[in-house]
Amino acid sequence: MHGYGVSLRIQQISRDVLRVQQGSLYPALYRLEQQGLIDYDWGTSENGRKAKFYRLTKAGQKRLKDETASWERLSAAVTRILGTA
């Protein structure tokens, strides 16, 4: 997906709970590029503009898996804590 498409997809999947502004998204995409976690190809967006289309690298896929497992452990712990209140 291109950057704006990523933003829209996050908003769609989260049912409008999460909205990533361009001022946050593009610096984050740049950092992920610099870390080798995403790569891109140039293409044409739906509106005919030149755009970067991003994809996870193998390192990015591994990081996503690791971060997902970490998040699941953390959110399960918070759920247990809130359940004891």
Side-chain angles (χ1 to χ4, degrees):
M1 276 184 193
H2 56 79
Y4 183 67
V6 171
S7 176
L8 290 177
R9 188 71 175 132
I10 290 170
Q11 186 175 338
Q12 178 187 33
I13 291 171
S14 72
R15 297 185 184 147
D16 288 329
V17 173
L18 300 175
R19 292 175 181 237
V20 181
Q21 301 299 316
Q22 290 182 17
S24 299
L25 177 65
Y26 290 103
L29 290 172
Y30 179 77
R31 284 192 304 275
L32 292 170
E33 275 182 60
Q34 296 303 306
Q35 295 171 13
L37 301 175
I38 62 173
D39 200 1
Y40 66 88
D41 289 312
W42 286 102
T44 304
S45 67
E46 314 72 56
N47 62 5
R49 293 184 179 186
K50 188 175 178 182
K52 285 183 178 180
F53 286 79
Y54 296 95
R55 67 183 172 283
L56 286 173
T57 62
K58 287 191 184 268
Q61 291 171 2
K62 182 183 181 323
R63 174 74 68 86
L64 176 60
K65 182 179 176 183
D66 294 346
E67 294 292 339
T68 299
S70 178
W71 173 256
E72 288 171 351
R73 284 190 304 276
L74 175 64
S75 63
V78 170
T79 298
R80 285 191 301 273
I81 291 167
L82 293 175
T84 63

